[in-house]
Amino acid sequence: MSSVEAWRSLFESWPDSIPKGGLLVTMWNETIGFKDFMVSGSLLLLERETPDSLGSRKVILSYDAIAGLKLTTPMELARLQVLGFQPPF
């Protein structure tokens, strides 16, 4: 599975039990704080909590622009198993 497919799958199957907020790190080393998101076939729409320095509250980017995701909500690692994570064997 490519990283594009992995990111798309992660966001498309995001469970209701995990808050839809965090910090998205792009390939351009930009960090985008978001409080909600929506998906499409090849793009991700992020909604910022507060506007950026230019007044933007929404960001649309392709999945191949994603370098990482930081989750800001405190939770046990076990809660993330619904996203497909598991302890190593």
Side-chain angles (χ1 to χ4, degrees):
M1 177 184 292
S2 74
S3 63
V4 169
E5 293 166 344
W7 286 120
R8 182 182 303 121
S9 176
L10 180 92
F11 282 102
E12 285 179 346
S13 61
W14 197 277
D16 290 336
S17 62
I18 305 294
K20 285 181 159 183
L23 301 167
L24 190 105
V25 181
T26 71
M27 293 292 191
W28 316 297
N29 292 325
E30 178 183 2
T31 301
I32 303 169
F34 67 98
K35 67 175 186 172
D36 201 1
F37 65 86
M38 296 178 76
V39 298
S40 76
S42 59
L43 299 171
L44 179 65
L45 169 63
L46 301 173
E47 182 177 20
R48 295 179 189 267
E49 187 83 35
T50 58
D52 65 8
S53 61
L54 299 173
S56 168
R57 287 192 179 264
K58 310 287 189 286
V59 179
I60 300 172
L61 68 155
S62 61
Y63 291 106
D64 64 352
I66 300 172
L69 175 65
K70 298 179 181 185
L71 300 176
T72 55
T73 303
M75 67 184 90
E76 297 294 323
L77 282 179
R79 284 189 59 197
L80 299 175
Q81 288 179 320
V82 297
L83 292 173
F85 294 98
Q86 60 187 8
F89 296 106

